[in-house]
Amino acid sequence: MILEMSMQQAVPPAAREVLERLEAAGYQANLVGGCVRDLLRGQTPQDWDVCTSALPDQVVEVFGEKQVRLTGLRHGTVTVLAGGRSFEVTTYRVESTYGDNRHPDRVNFTSSLREDLARRDFTINAMALDLRGRLTDPYQGQKDLKAGLIRCVGDPVLRFREDALRILRALRFSARLGFAIHGDTAAAMEAEKGNLAHLSAERVGSEVLGMVTGPGAGETLDRYRAVFLTALPLLAPAADCPQNCPYHYGTVYQHTVDALKYLDRGHAVPQTALAILFHDMGKPATRTTDPQGRDHFYGHAQAGAELCRQAMTALRYPNRLREEVAQLVELHSLQIAPTPAGARRLLNKVGEAQLRRLIEVIRCDTLAHTALARPRLETLEELSRCLDGVLEEASAFTLKQLAVNGRDLKSLGIPPGPRMGGILDALLQEVLAGSPNDRSALLERARQLASN
Ligand code: ATP
Ligand code: MG
């Protein structure tokens, strides 16, 4: 099949140049994998991977040592620099036996594009495109792309046994593309999920992040719950945790995946998505049932923040991301004061970026409750309006933004030390409560406070 001209034109000149130079030297060269998939979906690919019949040494010869980087050589990959970008150029290869459910024991090159496509994970990722727009698609990837299906190339049970990471990649592509997983592939994921235990925590962490930030995350984690929970056993207690209370309609896990379904795409950043995933993980451990049979989860947000820290440390997420997510988890059940002063206090506590994320987390959380919780949405909207309003004011939310500083107080005769700190703090509290952040008024007030 020859691709439409408009799609061919979406290939950047530098990528063409890489293909042209390989062809001019007598080798086959194709774009392959994610970029072909994205091109066919009408999306702009992030990166352009090339596969070629040239051996790595030959690729180096074609481009010259100055234009290449050799970091991926063990896998037959040479990075080629062209037009200010880098391209991974990988020699056609077949993979042999897998000893550890993850890494092929050795890499064998081949001169056949079809053999190379056969080792790729899913049909939608096993298509190649050449300079003339000719698509090589031996596994009906295009058909699955149109149908919105993730399907293994070859026997799914064997493919997942070779490399258990593919199980998580299937979930990730499902969540990111909003695709269903073909029946045989889904059954094989379920059957082979035990091998997920062999994956490194870091890989699990990055795949989970890719999943939860995808637009279809809620649906994917809902449908393939057992597989997902095998990858993330720390969340498994939530799957069995009932919530007998009028504000809820399902288990903690059901509530969590439903909350993810409401996540606004503009807010699908790691902090917000992970906070929703982890927000109620403190519930199983804090659940109590009163004599009327109603469940309570006192302190679950604090307990959850601690468990979230543990989970994110185990998954090797960066410390800063972990702390931001844990803060959102800790604050998700906060009593909201939907007033300008309430918004200023929250700004002082967490800053604007975190506050906007917190509002989104609480919004999604609230939507995944019964209708009884709906009033909280109005409170939240009011808080959002107040937030926009107070950000327009020339106000201060931190000591740094206050119109007076330590030097000003010193010139009033207040010596540096705890007393000065106390006065600055009191001034900030008054500004947070609504007093103007006005220099002369604040100096006057500081004088008063100092004389008391
Ligand atoms: P993304 O948009 O996430 O980068 P991608 O399809 O480009 O998607 P990569 O991880 O960059 O994914 O891999 C590039 C290609 O290599 C895939 O499209 C697939 O053909 C192949 N591939 C990657 N990982 C595996 C794997 N574990 N098993 C088999 N094939 C794989
Ligand atoms: Mg890629």
Side-chain angles (χ1 to χ4, degrees):
M1 196 202 98
I2 303 289
L3 218 60
E4 283 167 36
M5 224 34 215
S6 62
M7 281 188 191
Q8 290 189 45
Q9 279 159 358
V11 178
R16 290 188 156 276
E17 185 204 313
V18 173
L19 298 180
E20 273 160 12
R21 286 182 56 188
L22 286 162
E23 280 201 0
Y27 304 109
Q28 292 174 25
N30 282 267
L31 295 169
V32 70
C35 63
V36 179
R37 176 196 72 221
D38 291 345
L39 212 59
L40 290 169
R41 292 170 58 234
Q43 304 273 324
T44 311
Q46 303 271 334
D47 40 45
W48 301 84
D49 293 336
V50 173
C51 63
T52 180
S53 59
L55 292 168
D57 288 349
Q58 296 169 324
V59 176
V60 175
E61 209 177 284
V62 169
F63 293 95
E65 279 179 18
K66 285 213 189 84
Q67 213 185 328
V68 302
R69 298 284 174 270
L70 300 176
T71 40
L73 214 52
R74 272 190 324 130
H75 313 284
T77 301
V78 174
T79 304
V80 173
L81 312 174
R85 319 165 72 132
S86 61
F87 299 88
E88 309 250 282
V89 178
T90 306
T91 305
Y92 295 158
R93 57 174 219 234
V94 286
E95 277 159 351
S96 47
T97 46
Y98 286 69
D100 61 354
N101 304 112
R102 173 71 193 109
H103 299 101
D105 297 336
R106 58 177 187 276
V107 173
N108 294 327
F109 298 125
T110 164
S111 55
S112 155
L113 170 61
R114 282 176 177 253
E115 281 181 10
D116 178 82
L117 294 176
R119 64 144 177 117
R120 293 177 183 271
D121 48 6
F122 307 113
T123 60
I124 57 168
N125 288 345
M127 294 182 273
L129 182 68
D130 75 5
L131 261 180
R132 282 158 293 282
R134 202 170 52 202
L135 190 74
T136 306
D137 178 17
Y139 303 102
Q140 279 76 53
Q142 238 196 338
K143 199 169 131 240
D144 284 342
L145 202 56
K146 286 206 182 95
L149 268 183
I150 312 285
R151 184 201 310 251
C152 280
V153 170
D155 178 344
V157 170
L158 296 181
R159 301 313 307 282
F160 291 139
R161 261 181 217 164
E162 281 171 357
D163 180 1
L165 183 68
R166 291 174 188 149
I167 298 175
L168 295 189
R169 287 174 60 88
L171 290 181
R172 168 161 63 89
F173 288 119
S174 163
R176 298 209 72 84
L177 305 174
F179 283 16
I181 300 174
H182 183 265
D184 295 345
T185 298
M189 288 165 69
E190 176 64 40
E192 296 301 314
K193 64 182 189 299
N195 288 329
L196 289 170
H198 301 299
L199 297 177
S200 77
E202 213 161 351
R203 291 314 297 243
V204 174
S206 81
E207 292 297 331
V208 165
L209 185 57
M211 275 173 228
V212 292
T213 50
E219 285 77 7
T220 297
L221 302 196
D222 196 354
R223 268 176 100 161
Y224 308 107
R225 162 181 134 165
V227 176
F228 179 70
L229 289 174
T230 307
L232 217 57
L234 278 157
L235 278 183
D240 303 318
C241 183
Q243 308 187 86
N244 295 316
C245 99
Y247 290 91
H248 279 285
Y249 56 83
T251 63
V252 171
Y253 187 78
Q254 190 61 51
H255 160 69
T256 301
V257 295
D258 286 348
L260 269 177
K261 292 174 195 168
Y262 292 110
L263 179 56
D264 183 284
R265 286 304 100 205
H267 281 283
V269 295
Q271 292 88 340
T272 315
L274 288 171
I276 295 176
L277 181 69
F278 293 135
H279 79 284
D280 272 349
M281 75 187 295
K283 277 192 166 174
T286 54
R287 176 169 168 254
T288 53
T289 307
D290 69 20
Q292 286 73 43
R294 180 174 167 160
D295 289 331
H296 301 274
F297 303 93
Y298 300 115
H300 79 273
Q302 283 78 5
E306 204 33 60
L307 288 171
C308 164
R309 276 195 186 90
Q310 285 172 22
M312 290 187 68
T313 303
L315 294 170
R316 313 278 194 279
Y317 286 115
N319 294 352
R320 172 152 179 203
L321 177 61
R322 179 191 67 213
E323 290 311 311
E324 286 173 340
V325 173
Q327 183 179 56
L328 296 173
V329 171
E330 179 158 2
L331 294 177
H332 85 271
S333 63
L334 178 85
Q335 273 294 331
I336 299 165
T339 59
R344 284 191 213 98
R345 278 198 200 92
L346 280 169
L347 276 172
N348 167 256
K349 195 174 161 86
V350 304
E352 184 187 348
Q354 277 284 87
L355 182 49
R356 294 212 184 270
R357 293 172 194 144
L358 181 64
I359 290 173
E360 179 62 7
V361 169
I362 299 176
R363 193 185 69 84
C364 297
D365 179 17
T366 308
L367 284 167
H369 279 68
T370 59
L372 276 182
R374 288 300 133 89
R376 193 164 162 85
L377 286 178
E378 278 151 43
T379 312
L380 213 53
E381 273 168 29
E382 187 56 32
L383 177 66
S384 273
R385 276 193 291 275
C386 292
L387 172 60
D388 291 336
V390 302
L391 285 169
E392 300 260 296
E393 298 168 353
S395 192
F397 316 110
T398 61
L399 280 178
K400 236 180 159 164
Q401 296 167 327
L402 206 61
V404 298
N405 60 23
R407 217 173 313 132
D408 299 319
L409 266 57
K410 201 170 154 208
S411 69
L412 295 181
I414 306 166
R419 201 165 123 72
M420 178 192 273
I423 291 174
L424 280 171
D425 227 36
L427 294 176
L428 177 62
Q429 289 309 320
E430 290 180 12
V431 170
L432 291 175
S435 299
N437 184 28
D438 174 86
R439 190 175 151 78
S440 56
L442 287 172
L443 287 174
E444 181 49 40
R445 182 73 184 124
R447 233 179 254 120
Q448 267 178 22
L449 288 169
S451 65
N452 283 340

